[in-house]
Amino acid sequence: MLVDSHGRRHTYLRISLTERCNLRCQYCMPAEGVELTQNSELLSQSEIMQLARIFVMGGVDKIRLTGGEPSIRPDIEELCEQLRSLPGLRNLAMTSNGIVLSRKLARLQAAGLNQLNISLDTLVPAKFEFLTRRKGHNKVLESIEAALDLGFSPVKVNTVVMRGLNDDEISNFVRLTQDKPINVRFIEFMPFDGNVWNSKKLVSYIEMLTAVKQHFPGLQRLQDHHTDTAKNFQVPGFKGTVSFITSMTQHFCAGCNRLRLLADGNLKVCLFGPAEVSLRDALRSGIDNVGLQEIIGDAVKRKKPSHAGMFELARTQNRPMIHIGG
C-alpha cells in the first residue's frame, strides 16, 4: 500500500491535528490570516485513530503531530497515548512552536511522545515579535529548556532562514549546540500560498554552510540516513549537531518516505504537490478499511519522482503552510 511507483517505501506519517495556531509566522500564514475549516469538517479523534491504525498496519513506524499548533488541541495527551499504543509504531514525534508546550511536555512524554522539534527563527525577542506577529520568545526558550531537562535528545530546533531577517544569526544558533544536545536545523525558505516567497529572500544551503564554516572551520560532515531530509554536521567538541534542510536548492525527493494527513482529512503525498485525496469523505461514506487502503495505495502510486523546482513551485497554487502542517 505504501510503496510508490518509484520504489519508495513510506514509513513516516505527519498528521496535522489543527489549523489553529497562537502565532502568525510570516512564512507560514498570510498577514490577514486564513479561513479556517469548520470543526465538523475536521477529523475527529476517532477518525484520526482509525486512519492512523491503517497507516501503521501498512508499514508506518513513525508519526509526527503537527498543526497549526498541535499542543493547543484539548485532547492532545489522550491522542498521544492512543497513538503510542499502536502495535508497530516506534516513534511518536511533534513539531511545536513552544508557546504553551513547557507546561504540557512532561505529560506528553508520559503519554508516549519521544521526539520533539521546536520552531525558533531568531534569538532576538524584538525580531521574534516581528517574524511571528506575536510575543512569546521567552516561552519558546522555556520549552526548549524543559525538553532538555526531560531528557529529549536531541531537541531539534527548526530555523527558517530568510535573507535580511535572520541570516545574520546563523553562527549564534550554531553556538546553541556547544554544551547541549540540540540539533539546530536551518531550513531554506519555501514557497507556499500567502507567504510572499521570492528567490531574493532565499538563503541557499551553500550560503548557510559557508557562513557556518567562517566561524567554525572545523565543521565535520556526519553520515546521513538515506531517508533524511537533512544534511548533518557537527562542530568538533560540541555536544549537539547542525543540519540543513535543502528543499529548494538540493532536493531529497529520491529518498522521501513521508506522507501527510491534513486536519481536514485530506491525504497529501508530497508537501509541494497540489494533489490531495479526501480520506475523511471516504471514511464518512461508510467505506471499510480495505477500501481506504485502496484509496491510500492509489494516491501513493501517483506520487511523482520529485517536485517541480523552486521557481515552478512559486507559480503553483498550493495551500498555506498553516493548512498543510509542514
Side-chain angles (χ1 to χ4, degrees):
M1 178 181 75
L2 299 181
V3 179
D4 67 18
S5 58
H6 310 285
R8 295 172 295 196
R9 183 176 297 276
H10 296 77
T11 58
Y12 181 2
L13 177 66
R14 302 172 70 100
I15 302 177
S16 175
L17 298 181
T18 178
E19 296 174 349
R20 297 182 181 276
C21 189
N22 42 13
L23 295 180
R24 296 291 183 271
C25 298
Q26 294 189 26
Y27 55 80
C28 186
M29 187 186 295
E32 66 275 14
V34 295
E35 185 176 349
L36 297 173
T37 305
Q38 294 181 4
N39 285 340
S40 62
E41 300 301 308
L42 299 175
L43 291 178
S44 66
Q45 182 184 120
S46 62
E47 290 171 331
I48 290 172
M49 287 308 304
Q50 182 176 348
L51 292 172
R53 191 171 292 109
I54 290 171
F55 279 100
V56 172
M57 288 176 63
V60 162
D61 60 16
K62 177 177 179 178
I63 289 177
R64 176 174 297 279
L65 305 177
T66 67
E69 172 50 40
S71 67
I72 66 174
R73 183 164 167 138
D75 61 351
I76 182 63
E77 293 161 32
E78 186 179 351
L79 259 173
C80 284
E81 192 169 8
Q82 291 186 27
L83 288 167
R84 200 67 178 91
S85 69
L86 293 175
L89 188 71
R90 296 180 181 177
N91 291 299
L92 181 62
M94 177 185 288
T95 298
S96 171
N97 62 28
I99 295 295
V100 301
L101 184 66
S102 62
R103 64 175 183 260
K104 297 185 177 185
L105 190 52
R107 296 193 300 274
L108 291 172
Q109 186 184 48
L113 186 74
N114 68 325
Q115 295 183 359
L116 184 64
N117 291 47
I118 297 176
S119 299
L120 180 64
D121 300 313
T122 178
L123 300 172
V124 181
K127 199 185 293 186
F128 177 90
E129 190 171 341
F130 172 75
L131 287 167
T132 67
R133 307 182 181 108
R134 295 291 187 274
K135 298 181 184 294
H137 187 261
N138 62 314
K139 295 180 180 178
V140 183
L141 296 179
E142 288 171 6
S143 289
I144 293 172
E145 288 301 320
L148 292 166
D149 290 343
L150 286 167
F152 284 89
S153 183
V155 176
K156 296 182 178 182
V157 175
N158 291 352
T159 303
V160 177
V161 180
M162 293 165 284
R163 193 178 310 281
L165 290 175
N166 61 349
D167 54 327
D168 59 336
E169 298 185 61
I170 289 175
S171 61
N172 292 333
F173 270 101
V174 175
R175 290 187 181 94
L176 293 180
T177 72
Q178 183 167 355
D179 301 314
K180 298 174 181 178
I182 290 175
N183 169 226
V184 173
R185 301 166 73 80
F186 294 117
I187 303 172
E188 290 181 338
F189 183 38
M190 297 175 279
F192 293 96
D193 280 10
N195 73 353
V196 199
W197 183 91
N198 68 64
S199 59
K200 293 179 181 179
K201 293 182 183 178
L202 172 70
V203 182
S204 71
Y205 158 56
I206 295 300
E207 288 181 88
M208 291 189 283
L209 181 61
T210 300
V212 173
K213 286 184 172 180
Q214 284 177 349
H215 294 271
F216 307 96
L219 186 73
Q220 294 179 348
R221 187 76 158 90
L222 302 177
Q223 182 67 45
D224 305 327
H225 189 272
H226 74 277
T227 62
D228 275 351
T229 59
K231 295 174 174 60
N232 301 297
F233 295 79
Q234 188 170 34
V235 178
F238 279 27
K239 196 168 186 179
T241 55
V242 176
S243 302
F244 300 89
I245 314 295
T246 64
S247 308
M248 295 294 95
T249 61
Q250 294 186 26
H251 72 69
F252 32 81
C253 302
C256 182
N257 68 337
R258 292 154 178 77
L259 300 170
R260 290 169 170 81
L261 180 62
L262 279 54
D264 63 4
N266 277 16
L267 175 65
K268 198 173 180 69
V269 297
C270 175
L271 173 61
F272 300 107
E276 300 177 7
V277 59
S278 178
L279 300 184
R280 178 203 65 204
D281 290 351
L283 194 61
R284 294 181 183 180
S285 72
I287 195 168
D288 62 14
N289 284 354
V290 173
L292 288 166
Q293 289 170 354
E294 291 177 356
I295 293 170
I296 293 167
D298 289 344
V300 171
K301 290 291 188 297
R302 293 193 296 269
K303 185 168 180 174
K304 296 181 178 180
S306 66
H307 68 60
M310 62 181 177
F311 294 109
E312 184 61 31
L313 291 177
R315 294 191 291 267
T316 302
Q317 187 172 4
N318 199 353
R319 298 215 209 185
M321 178 63 86
I322 189 74
H323 278 168
I324 297 172

